[in-house]
């Protein structure tokens, strides 16, 4: 992770645990390793920049397999435990991850300690179901960070405080940029190497 560190420029930087990316590859992020990494970043940059950290959530099951109820319940317990353990180490904002669809008590537990929560919404749901689930979990006075939630419909209908997505990076890798139009966000080819410039 690199932070541009120009003299006198104060940045607001959010760090993600990488839990989903690693889980998607068949692995798992270790809590102690993540805490050490975050502590290193805070020590190096915390005095000069405003850091926001995303807590380590436990993702149940495996890629391509729907987890059972016991797996989900255990994952919830681990996620809550991780959040409370990480709170002992950091004074900067630490966002717990609430997976939309989990029991409401989980979100209520997090809201006892923070008004800023990250929402994870299963990509297995239809776009309509994802949108409905996100809207249903909104709470007055609660700031919500959307994980991988930058579709045009999501952005228009849900009152996000912040969002993230890798869509821009994937578009850039294919020689495109994202461009806002009256009809929504579109990919525009800016490289002569972009596959979108060619037809078969």
């Amino acid at each position: 992770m690199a932070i541009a560190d120009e003299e006198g420029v104060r940045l607001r930087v959010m760090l993600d645990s990488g839990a989903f990316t690693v889980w998607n590859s068949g692995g798992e992020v270790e809590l102690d390793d993540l805490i050490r990494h975050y502590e290193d970043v805070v020590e190096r940059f915390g005095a000069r920049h405003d850091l926001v950290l995303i807590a380590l959530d436990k993702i149940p099951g495996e890629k391509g397999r729907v987890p059972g109820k016991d797996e989900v319940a255990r994952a919830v317990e681990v996620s809550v435990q991780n959040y409370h353990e990480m709170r002992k180490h950091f004074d900067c904002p630490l966002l717990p991850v609430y997976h939309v669809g989990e029991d409401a008590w989980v979100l209520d537990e997090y809201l006892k300690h923070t008004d800023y929560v990250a929402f994870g919404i299963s990509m297995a749901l239809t776009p309509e179901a994802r949108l409905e689930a996100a809207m249903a979990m909104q709470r007055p006075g609660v700031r919500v960070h959307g994980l991988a939630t930058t579709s045009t419909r999501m952005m228009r209908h849900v009152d996000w405080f912040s969002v993230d997505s890798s869509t821009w990076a994937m578009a850039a890798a294919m020689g495109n940029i994202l461009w806002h139009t009256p009809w929504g966000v579109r990919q525009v080819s800016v490289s002569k190497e972009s596959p979108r410039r060619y037809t078969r």
Side-chain angles (χ1 to χ4, degrees):
M1 192 219 84
I3 297 177
D5 202 26
E6 293 183 31
E7 189 68 30
V9 177
R10 190 170 187 88
L11 305 174
R12 183 173 176 81
V13 181
M14 180 176 285
L15 283 75
D16 193 323
S17 70
F20 179 75
T21 300
V22 175
W23 174 87
N24 213 28
S25 302
E28 187 171 357
V29 175
E30 295 294 331
L31 178 61
D32 290 342
D33 292 341
L34 180 64
I35 288 174
R36 282 193 294 270
H37 174 65
Y38 278 178
E39 286 177 334
D40 179 58
V41 173
V42 170
E43 181 179 349
R44 293 171 60 196
F45 301 105
R48 298 192 303 279
H49 302 294
D50 299 319
L51 304 180
V52 177
L53 313 176
I54 296 181
L56 178 61
D57 57 318
K58 170 75 173 177
I59 302 172
E62 301 163 347
K63 184 178 180 180
R65 178 178 65 82
V66 177
K69 287 186 177 180
D70 290 345
E71 286 180 291
V72 172
R74 177 58 185 152
V76 167
E77 291 178 8
V78 172
S79 294
V80 173
Q81 291 169 3
N82 287 348
Y83 172 65
H84 286 306
E85 180 61 29
M86 294 180 77
R87 287 181 62 231
K88 301 174 185 177
H89 294 263
F90 303 104
D91 294 326
C92 55
L94 176 70
L95 276 63
V97 178
Y98 173 74
H99 298 105
V100 173
E102 292 174 344
D103 290 340
W105 73 262
V106 181
L107 182 57
D108 292 339
E109 170 63 22
Y110 291 145
L111 294 180
K112 293 176 185 176
H113 308 281
T114 183
D115 66 350
Y116 196 6
V117 180
F119 276 7
I121 309 175
S122 174
M123 296 300 292
L125 298 174
T126 65
E128 292 75 15
R130 282 170 53 81
L131 176 59
E132 181 179 338
M135 293 178 68
M137 297 313 301
Q138 298 284 286
R139 298 286 189 275
V142 176
R143 297 174 295 165
V144 179
H145 176 77
L147 296 167
T149 51
T150 52
S151 73
T152 301
R153 292 186 66 195
M154 278 283 199
M155 297 295 288
R156 285 180 177 170
H157 293 95
V158 180
D159 187 20
W160 304 110
F161 183 80
S162 56
V163 294
D164 68 51
S165 174
S166 61
T167 301
W168 67 271
M170 291 185 287
M174 299 301 289
N176 307 307
I177 60 171
L178 301 181
W179 192 264
H180 181 74
T181 75
W183 306 277
V185 177
R186 298 288 187 265
Q187 289 194 35
V188 177
S189 300
V190 294
S191 169
K192 65 180 181 181
E193 305 298 329
S194 172
R196 295 172 66 91
R197 289 193 172 209
Y198 302 93
T199 58
R200 296 182 179 184

